[in-house]
Amino acid sequence: HRDLHSFPTRRSSDLSKVFYPKTGFTKGQMIDYYIRVSKYLLPHLRNRPITLKRYPNGVEGLFFYEKQCPSSAPKWVKTTKVAKSDGEINYCELNDLPSLVWASNLANLELHTFLHKAPAVQRPTAMAFDLDPGAPADILKCCEVALHLKAFFDSLKLKSFPKTSGSKGMQIYVPLNTAVTYERTKAFAHELAQLMEQQFPDLVVSRMEKVLRKGKVFMDWSQNDDKKTTVNVYSLRAKERPTVSTPVTWNEVKAALNEQDADALIFEAAAVLKRVEKLGDLFAPMLSLKQKLPAVESTRARPASKPRKAR
């Protein structure tokens, strides 16, 4: 790849090592996926501090998080220092293909980024909701909640964008790209989650206690925080199969719910590469669409839609 040619050569290691034993998907295939999807992925990583999540022995082995960018990182891997109460953390930024391949070679299987970019680490570029189903609820229950959220944001003339988590749930993003603080986005998200819980008590829970989540969808508003990361779009997940956090259309969400087809929202690496070739980057508006977050009171003024039944 031509973007790699201007950087010092570094040998990738253990490319034949199986990272997903259930499918035989190897470390080499993981790196190849990230190279091939990089055209669509890199704009969503650029200038975002990232917490590395490394799986040196694959998805069935031990993993560890790495906030501090490794001291062994090449000089061309950009970093950003973020002040903490007990010092500072020098986070990696994966701004280009060589940096992405370098991190992949370290078995950084999953990409977990913040909602802000450096150097404006107190200004989120979006508001996000992580929809986490509590068994026996599944991604189809998340679709119901997602569509209620869409109706609410539509009523405020705000565009929202869904993606799968690559695991069992979904995430809904509202691009902002305007002057806003985490204090505002978190307050708005919390108020909205509470409203959803009040209106759909058999479907939504906004409180953190796991015991409350059985058969419901936990609408995690707390992701809107400068200390929290969320799995990045197009990131692989460390599951049995090489599933990917994949942007989807609202029509796909509706169709999966209407047809009660949870598998329609599960995408593995090969399928994602075909999707981006055909559909392009469905999450591209997250990069540039400017929207202003209304006052928190807007959540009280506009009721969410009534539950809809699958046909």
Side-chain angles (χ1 to χ4, degrees):
H1 194 288
R2 69 175 189 272
D3 290 350
L4 293 171
H5 290 168
S6 60
F7 290 80
T9 300
R10 285 184 173 251
R11 185 181 299 275
S12 295
S13 58
D14 301 323
L15 295 183
S16 61
K17 190 171 190 174
V18 174
F19 268 20
Y20 291 80
K22 293 290 193 298
T23 66
F25 194 85
T26 65
K27 179 180 181 180
Q29 288 174 293
M30 176 196 73
I31 295 174
D32 179 67
Y33 163 75
Y34 277 130
I35 290 173
R36 293 171 65 189
V37 84
S38 62
K39 173 183 174 182
Y40 309 95
L41 166 62
L42 284 172
H44 297 284
L45 293 177
R46 193 160 290 126
N47 296 327
R48 292 189 189 275
I50 187 167
T51 296
L52 302 182
K53 190 177 183 184
R54 296 171 59 180
Y55 290 79
N57 293 305
V59 300
E60 293 184 359
L62 296 176
F63 68 88
F64 61 96
Y65 289 95
E66 197 165 19
K67 294 183 179 181
Q68 188 78 26
C69 199
S71 58
S72 60
K75 292 181 180 179
W76 38 261
V77 173
K78 188 176 178 181
T79 60
T80 186
K81 292 180 180 178
V82 178
K84 301 292 182 181
S85 58
D86 55 350
E88 65 181 16
I89 294 177
N90 198 31
Y91 286 96
C92 297
E93 292 181 22
L94 305 183
N95 291 346
D96 48 47
L97 184 55
S99 300
L100 178 61
V101 172
W102 165 79
S104 300
N105 189 50
L106 292 181
N108 184 63
L109 193 66
E110 296 189 350
L111 303 166
H112 291 258
T113 49
F114 294 91
L115 290 172
H116 54 259
K117 294 182 179 182
V121 296
Q122 292 299 320
R123 180 187 295 180
T125 61
M127 182 168 57
F129 295 89
D130 188 13
L131 306 183
D132 184 12
D138 59 9
I139 198 169
L140 296 177
K141 285 286 187 184
C142 293
C143 289
E144 288 188 56
V145 177
L147 289 167
H148 290 317
L149 281 172
K150 179 184 187 300
F152 174 80
F153 289 124
D154 285 351
S155 74
L156 293 176
K157 294 183 171 51
L158 291 174
K159 291 185 178 181
S160 55
F161 298 85
K163 72 179 179 76
T164 70
S165 68
S167 180
K168 58 184 178 177
M170 295 181 69
Q171 284 118 19
I172 310 303
Y173 278 61
V174 179
L176 297 172
N177 296 306
T178 49
V180 71
T181 63
Y182 277 111
E183 184 178 18
R184 284 199 63 208
T185 57
K186 192 171 187 178
F188 189 101
H190 192 188
E191 188 79 22
L192 179 52
Q194 290 176 319
L195 175 68
M196 286 286 182
E197 182 178 43
Q198 292 165 10
Q199 294 196 340
F200 310 116
D202 296 329
L203 179 62
V204 176
V205 61
S206 69
R207 289 161 288 172
M208 299 287 181
E209 296 88 345
K210 289 190 176 181
V211 69
L212 301 174
R213 302 182 194 181
K214 184 178 179 180
K216 300 181 182 181
V217 175
F218 173 48
M219 187 170 153
D220 190 355
W221 48 271
S222 70
Q223 294 300 114
N224 299 283
D225 191 292
D226 68 339
K227 297 178 181 62
K228 294 286 189 77
T229 59
T230 306
V231 66
N232 202 88
V233 68
Y234 302 118
S235 173
L236 283 160
R237 300 307 306 271
K239 302 299 174 183
E240 282 194 353
R241 308 183 69 83
T243 52
V244 173
S245 180
T246 309
V248 292
T249 67
W250 282 115
N251 283 339
E252 286 179 306
V253 175
K254 292 174 186 175
L257 179 59
N258 286 338
E259 296 165 16
Q260 290 292 286
D261 184 4
D263 290 342
L265 296 177
I266 298 174
F267 304 96
E268 294 184 25
V272 170
L273 292 173
K274 290 179 181 177
R275 280 176 66 85
V276 293
E277 284 295 317
K278 180 181 178 181
L279 302 174
D281 179 15
L282 294 176
F283 241 46
M286 297 301 307
L287 302 171
S288 57
L289 179 60
K290 294 184 178 182
Q291 302 187 120
K292 289 189 176 181
L293 188 68
V296 171
E297 288 71 22
S298 298
T299 58
R300 306 184 192 112
R302 296 174 183 270
S305 60
K306 293 296 181 184
R308 63 193 300 279
K309 293 182 179 179
R311 288 181 284 171

